[in-house]
């Protein structure tokens, strides 16, 4: 689950950062906005995988025999689709996006700040 999310997030962050700050200067507002948007897109696009993962992780607590017998992502997809249709793959998307936006905004802003601070310190040594 982390691999698809991180892959999407990295690509989106770079695209949003370049779009919002074409001169590529240090800009905390740009990093907050690009990081938040990247987290939102990644969270939204990986929600279907997360729904399947959640079904598989919680199957042991289920009273439903079909859910308890699910042993693969394919089984999880079939169960969700049969019971809830396509809409079932998007359950929890809003809270997921809301939770990931600030987390990724903070992460990218912190990363960019330290990258800038280290580069600034290194360039003052020369």
């Amino acid at each position: 689950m982390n691999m698809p999310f991180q892959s999407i997030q990295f690509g989106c962050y770079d695209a949003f950062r370049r779009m919002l700050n074409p001169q590529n200067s240090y800009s905390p507002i740009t990093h907050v906005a690009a990081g938040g948007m990247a987290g939102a897109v990644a969270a939204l696009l990986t929600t279907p995988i997360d729904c399947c993962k959640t079904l598989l992780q919680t199957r042991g607590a289920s009273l439903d025999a079909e859910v308890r017998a699910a042993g693969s992502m394919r089984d999880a997809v079939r169960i969700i689709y049969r019971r809830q249709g396509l809409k079932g793959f998007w359950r929890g998307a809003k809270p997921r996006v809301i939770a990931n936006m600030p987390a990724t905004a903070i992460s990218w802003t912190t990363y960019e700040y330290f990258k800038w601070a280290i580069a600034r310190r290194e360039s003052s040594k020369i």
Side-chain angles (χ1 to χ4, degrees):
M1 179 52 208
N2 284 334
M3 196 66 144
F5 180 91
Q6 293 299 336
S7 298
I8 293 167
Q9 181 201 180
F10 268 82
C12 287
Y13 174 75
D14 193 48
F16 290 136
R17 182 183 54 79
R18 288 175 195 240
M19 183 174 51
L20 295 171
N21 186 2
Q23 63 276 17
N24 199 26
S25 61
Y26 175 69
S27 169
I29 297 298
T30 297
H31 304 311
V32 168
M37 290 188 301
V41 170
L44 186 64
L45 293 179
T46 58
T47 295
I49 299 168
D50 196 53
C51 288
C52 294
K53 178 190 71 148
T54 300
L55 183 138
L56 292 170
Q57 288 177 329
T58 60
R59 68 180 182 237
S62 179
L63 299 176
D64 186 312
E66 184 182 25
V67 172
R68 286 183 69 86
S72 67
M73 286 294 274
R74 180 180 287 179
D75 293 341
V77 168
R78 284 184 189 140
I79 292 168
I80 293 170
Y81 184 73
R82 189 173 332 117
R83 294 180 180 193
Q84 299 160 3
L86 289 175
K87 193 174 178 181
F89 293 103
W90 301 101
R91 289 183 67 190
K94 285 180 190 175
R96 213 163 165 260
V97 167
I98 291 168
N100 277 286
M101 280 183 76
T104 55
I106 291 167
S107 294
W108 280 111
T109 304
T110 303
Y111 167 78
E112 292 289 354
Y113 169 75
F114 282 105
K115 186 172 92 172
W116 171 79
I118 291 167
R120 189 171 173 213
R121 191 175 107 207
E122 293 299 317
S123 68
S124 69
K125 288 181 180 179
I126 296 174

